[in-house]
Amino acid sequence: MPHRPCSLLAVLCLVLLPLAGVAASLPLIPRPARVDLHEGRFVLARVTPLRSAGDDAAARAAAQFLRDALEAVDGPRVQLGPGRAGPAIEFVSDPAAPAAAEAYTLDIDAQRVRIAAREPAGLVHGAATLFQLLTRSAQVTDLPALHIEDAPRFAWRGLMLDSVRHMQSPDEIRALIDQMALAKLNVLHWHLSDDQGWRVEIKRHPELTRIGAWRTPPGAGRDGEPSRYGGWYTQEQIRALVAHAAARGITIVPEIDMPGHAQAAVAAYPELGVTGTRPAVSVDWGVNPWLFNVDEATFGFIEGVLDELMALFPSRYIHVGGDEAIKDQWQAAPAVQARMRELGLTSENALQGWFIGRLGRYLDAHGRKLIGWDEILEGDNLPAGATVMSWRGSDGAIKAALTGHDVVMAPAPTLYFDHVQSALDDEYSGRLGVEALRGIYAFEPVPGVLGAAQVRHVLGVQANVWTEHLPSHAHVEHAVFPRLAALAEVAWSSAAARDWADFATRLPAQLARYRRAGVHVADGAFAVAIDTDRNLALATGRATVRLSNQSGVGTLRYTLDGSEPRADSLPYLAPLVLSLPAHVRANAFAADGVALAAPRERRLDRQSLLSLPGSALPNCPGSDFRLRVQPTPDATSTQPVYAVNVFDTCQQLPPTRLDGVTAIRVEAARLERKYALAHEQRLVVSRAHATPFGELEIHADRCDGTLLASLPLPDPAHSPRRFPLTSALPALSGERSLCFIYTAPIDGPLYGIGRVDLVPGP
Ligand code: ACM
């Protein structure tokens, strides 16, 4: 069927076709390489037939994918099968389709919708585009006539999921895979072993899961804490997930982390380690010291694990970790040192290089390729075919590409989705700082310094979802969405096609799709922040209120009468000057009037202006490291969250007008101190304390300023995790800062501040 050119608005079409405007009118993410809009439309039936040739298994799989995706959002109804003659959606494996890897075409006219591709993955991508057209608004009854020709910029479009620190159920992983496929991502890098657990069933080494899959958290069995945490994926579950992913054009690349991050394996089989002792499976996040041994027996064991892994995962790439292997144990072990001498190696880094090189040769001999974190470059013994995953900025990628290795760009912090999405008080747990949607969108995977010969080594781009602070699937989804949409466009669309303003116009439809699919999408990029100069308001009784949202997407609207903001509420045009008390509620709305976030609110009166969440209290000078953590018993909820610096539990109240304040109340929380800081442990600040469990000290102005209060902390064994600490304050006037220091011993719990309330006198 020839494509009929736009006739009615021919001139306009010609002008607009190559420009952002046409594609922008279709809310497709990632943006296709080429969209030609034609005149006319395809009208959906009550149940539109989906057709594929009887012997075309790839076409049928793509059609099923489309049907399932539509069903999950209660979208237009479609039915697989031969159907009657007449208008239908057709999937065709077509050797005449464009030759680029994963390419597809989508043609729509009044009679039919046709998706064609040479490869099965192309058909899936075509189905994903059609899904987006069929869900471009709440009720879709037709499709615009068009021709789309599309192919990805990068071959590796990945997401890494850490199922060790916290596990996800197979169904939860399936849901993630489905969303990846709809975003045209094609690699799920699955982090399956680490210090805190071993998550893949290995039949010849059952202790790996019987022992290595379980950890006993501090306080196990008490205070709502399970007696142990863990589990593993059976080989049957893994095969089913691999097949589910494959039917959606996604390869699962498994990772077994070596030679470091080996504590769970050594807990299962102490002979795999070098000390001869059996550690517990770790409960500490961070860098633990346990390394694999380098003797022949250990390699025999690892090769057996790789054999089972290769049988489970058809992926060409096998990820062997390589990151953060501090070498203390190898340095201290005479047998390891002797082995180094025997091999003629002069450093432990060289030994790691030899270790990784050996794994690479084993994988190579079995027709697979090694990929590892960028530390695998350190030993200068990387096998020629090895691929480097660059996580410590882009230096690793540059070095790798210059030495002829392929690279995948996954740099921290930008593409570390365990970093929080917003600075809002109600943000979930995660690492700080904020890695905003817009920053992800702006990420350019190809380092500018690479020349043409090296650029071809950049296979693609990946975001990593580490789960230390993401205990539930709701946390994982909150971290992943909507940033996945930005990643998808970075990974798929050409650099020239990337345009934030245009992306922003396509985003509301994508948010609606996530919500219809039941995805727990974060709204921190759109939610309205309600800010005021507290001290000015306290001094004058009038607040100048500024509304903003992080992404700049949507129209901000507000109410002052306590009612929920709606699409016809007052638009925010300029700062609001309000007499106290006031109650501001606000939200951001898309052009079609749909709310982009949950409404946020702020009450403005003397009491609330003197009340600050702990997250609004910056660290004391000296260390800017900070996490947002949730006490473990709240893992099925997402709040409360405490912003803490695990190196130094010291925070400062920003200067606040304290006239008339006579007392202070601090909501304190006892958190687990479960951080393996390796060589950075010496940076943890230890302070003298006068009572058995330490105190909360409150100092005036600076941390070495006058001590205003020293409030003993209660006995952890006989007090709830959250407790108030109150004290009278001497009269202070003007804008003053306060410094809060926990002096608790550093081998005990960590303390956080939930909220500080300054209490005015009568
Ligand atoms: C890593 O974040 N340790 C790869």
Side-chain angles (χ1 to χ4, degrees):
M1 175 90 35
H3 308 300
R4 278 191 295 156
C6 326
S7 54
L8 197 63
L9 294 170
V11 176
L12 202 58
C13 282
L14 284 174
V15 171
L16 287 182
L17 274 178
L19 301 180
V22 169
S25 66
L26 299 176
L28 301 174
I29 296 176
R31 186 171 162 174
R34 175 174 176 181
V35 179
D36 300 337
L37 282 174
H38 298 162
E39 197 184 312
R41 65 203 176 109
F42 176 91
V43 178
L44 298 175
R46 194 180 62 77
V47 182
T48 305
L50 289 184
R51 279 201 211 114
S52 58
D55 57 352
D56 192 343
R60 189 170 174 81
Q64 278 167 347
F65 166 58
L66 175 65
R67 181 202 58 192
D68 294 350
L70 287 170
E71 208 171 272
V73 298
D74 200 15
R77 292 185 59 202
V78 292
Q79 190 168 39
L80 281 162
R84 288 169 286 113
I89 298 171
E90 295 174 10
F91 288 81
V92 190
S93 294
D94 183 355
E102 302 185 65
Y104 70 93
T105 56
L106 169 58
D107 288 284
I108 302 176
D109 62 28
Q111 288 309 306
R112 69 172 180 175
V113 177
R114 183 175 191 270
I115 292 170
R118 292 191 187 202
E119 299 174 16
L123 291 169
V124 171
H125 303 321
T129 299
L130 182 55
F131 168 81
Q132 294 192 354
L133 289 172
L134 287 166
T135 53
R136 65 192 190 279
S137 61
Q139 289 294 334
V140 170
T141 55
D142 61 15
L143 293 166
L146 53 67
H147 170 70
I148 290 178
E149 219 169 292
D150 201 8
R153 177 181 180 199
F154 291 111
W156 186 297
R157 305 180 302 280
L159 188 72
M160 188 218 73
L161 179 65
D162 170 7
S163 292
V164 174
R165 278 50 177 267
H166 288 97
M167 272 188 89
Q168 306 78 29
S169 72
D171 279 346
E172 290 166 347
I173 297 173
R174 255 186 284 278
L176 193 59
I177 287 171
D178 291 350
Q179 290 303 325
M180 287 176 65
L182 291 171
K184 302 189 175 76
L185 299 186
N186 68 344
V187 177
L188 175 63
H189 164 183
W190 199 8
H191 188 74
L192 284 167
S193 81
D194 212 302
D195 300 309
Q196 298 82 6
W198 184 280
R199 302 274 176 251
V200 48
E201 179 186 24
I202 300 295
K203 298 220 191 248
R204 71 190 76 178
H205 300 305
E207 302 291 87
L208 283 172
T209 43
R210 194 183 70 81
I211 296 174
W214 300 99
R215 60 179 186 254
T216 306
R222 284 194 284 119
D223 206 7
E225 187 86 23
S227 60
R228 60 179 192 168
Y229 180 91
W232 69 90
Y233 303 99
T234 66
Q235 295 205 347
E236 196 180 341
Q237 287 172 328
I238 289 170
R239 280 200 187 89
L241 281 170
V242 166
H244 185 87
R248 286 154 182 74
I250 293 174
T251 302
I252 304 187
V253 175
E255 179 187 351
I256 297 297
D257 209 341
M258 297 176 277
H261 288 289
Q263 190 166 333
V266 179
Y269 293 98
E271 62 273 26
L272 295 177
V274 296
T275 68
T277 54
R278 185 195 290 273
V281 176
S282 180
V283 295
D284 294 332
W285 315 136
V287 177
N288 289 275
W290 294 85
L291 300 181
F292 278 103
N293 207 335
V294 291
D295 60 0
E296 284 308 306
T298 301
F299 277 102
F301 185 103
I302 290 171
E303 287 166 7
V305 169
L306 292 176
D307 288 347
E308 288 195 36
L309 215 60
M310 288 187 284
L312 282 173
F313 295 94
S315 164
R316 187 154 170 251
Y317 291 90
I318 302 288
H319 202 301
V320 300
D323 59 320
E324 298 179 320
I326 54 164
K327 306 296 189 302
D328 304 26
Q329 290 192 342
W330 281 357
Q331 279 160 0
V336 173
Q337 293 297 312
R339 181 81 159 137
M340 268 172 59
R341 282 192 295 276
E342 191 183 300
L343 294 165
L345 299 170
T346 54
S347 73
E348 288 75 20
N349 270 358
L351 184 62
Q352 162 148 345
W354 171 83
F355 187 114
I356 297 290
R358 187 162 165 166
L359 298 180
R361 283 188 292 281
Y362 189 77
L363 291 172
D364 200 41
H366 290 78
R368 306 299 180 97
K369 278 174 79 84
L370 178 147
I371 183 166
W373 301 110
D374 57 55
E375 287 94 331
I376 65 174
L377 286 161
E378 279 171 6
D380 289 328
N381 186 25
L382 198 53
T387 299
V388 173
M389 189 166 270
S390 193
W391 73 279
R392 297 175 299 175
S394 49
D395 290 354
I398 294 164
K399 181 175 171 192
L402 287 173
T403 51
H405 293 281
D406 286 347
V407 298
V408 173
M409 298 300 298
T414 311
L415 296 184
Y416 270 41
F417 281 3
D418 53 332
H419 276 254
V420 297
Q421 300 217 41
S422 83
L424 297 171
D425 295 345
D426 55 21
E427 181 56 82
Y428 289 10
S429 50
R431 281 197 236 188
L432 289 161
V434 172
E435 292 303 329
L437 181 66
R438 192 168 182 160
I440 312 297
Y441 191 79
F443 179 73
E444 170 47 46
V446 177
V449 298
L450 296 184
Q454 290 108 33
V455 167
R456 68 186 166 81
H457 285 299
V458 180
L459 295 186
V461 58
Q462 173 174 299
N464 297 330
V465 188
W466 299 104
T467 58
E468 289 92 335
H469 309 293
L470 310 179
S472 72
H473 188 54
H475 287 87
V476 169
E477 290 195 329
H478 179 91
V480 169
F481 302 100
R483 290 188 291 200
L484 190 87
L487 174 73
E489 194 141 312
V490 170
W492 180 278
S493 306
S494 72
R498 248 191 296 150
D499 173 337
W500 168 259
D502 180 68
F503 178 73
T505 66
R506 290 176 277 134
L507 204 46
Q510 185 55 44
L511 294 178
R513 288 184 198 105
Y514 289 144
R515 290 181 179 131
R516 285 169 71 178
V519 171
H520 191 86
V521 55
D523 70 359
F526 317 102
V528 177
I530 306 169
D531 294 310
T532 191
D533 179 335
R534 291 178 309 120
N535 291 321
L536 193 61
L538 285 165
T540 63
R542 286 165 76 77
T544 300
V545 174
R546 291 186 165 75
L547 306 185
S548 59
N549 72 355
Q550 182 202 79
S551 62
V553 176
T555 301
L556 310 189
R557 296 180 183 276
Y558 66 95
T559 67
L560 298 173
D561 62 1
S563 65
E564 178 157 335
R566 301 184 325 182
D568 59 355
S569 297
L570 286 171
Y572 174 76
L573 303 171
L576 314 171
V577 181
L578 306 173
S579 294
L580 304 187
H583 183 193
V584 182
R585 299 189 75 189
N587 206 348
F589 293 86
D592 64 359
V594 172
L596 294 172
R600 300 302 203 269
E601 67 182 317
R602 183 159 179 188
R603 287 176 192 278
L604 293 157
D605 56 29
R606 187 165 165 72
Q607 191 184 338
S608 64
L609 291 166
L610 289 169
S611 176
L612 276 84
S615 57
L617 274 55
N619 289 0
C620 300
S623 165
D624 57 6
F625 181 81
R626 196 151 144 130
L627 300 170
R628 286 177 67 86
V629 300
Q630 242 192 290
T632 309
D634 294 309
T636 55
S637 64
T638 55
Q639 300 290 341
V641 171
Y642 299 86
V644 290
N645 173 3
V646 301
F647 291 96
D648 187 11
T649 47
C650 178
Q651 286 177 261
Q652 286 179 303
L653 180 81
T656 299
R657 195 180 158 84
L658 293 180
D659 304 71
V661 167
T662 58
I664 188 166
R665 181 181 190 279
V666 176
E667 271 179 34
R670 191 168 53 247
L671 309 164
E672 284 156 358
R673 188 188 293 271
K674 44 182 194 182
Y675 303 93
L677 302 173
H679 299 154
E680 295 189 338
Q681 181 64 38
R682 64 190 163 75
L683 302 178
V684 175
V685 178
S686 173
R687 292 193 166 85
H689 50 97
T691 57
F693 310 106
E695 302 82 28
L696 174 64
E697 290 183 354
I698 305 173
H699 295 257
D701 303 313
R702 298 154 43 101
C703 297
D704 57 0
T706 308
L707 182 67
L708 301 177
S710 179
L711 309 169
L713 300 172
D715 180 352
H718 299 105
S719 60
R721 281 174 187 266
R722 295 159 68 185
F723 52 89
L725 295 168
T726 57
S727 173
L729 286 182
L732 296 166
S733 60
E735 291 183 20
R736 307 289 292 270
S737 183
L738 298 175
C739 173
F740 298 86
I741 303 174
Y742 283 112
T743 62
I746 62 171
D747 58 356
L750 186 69
Y751 289 85
I753 295 176
R755 180 164 284 280
V756 172
D757 286 294
L758 298 154
V759 186

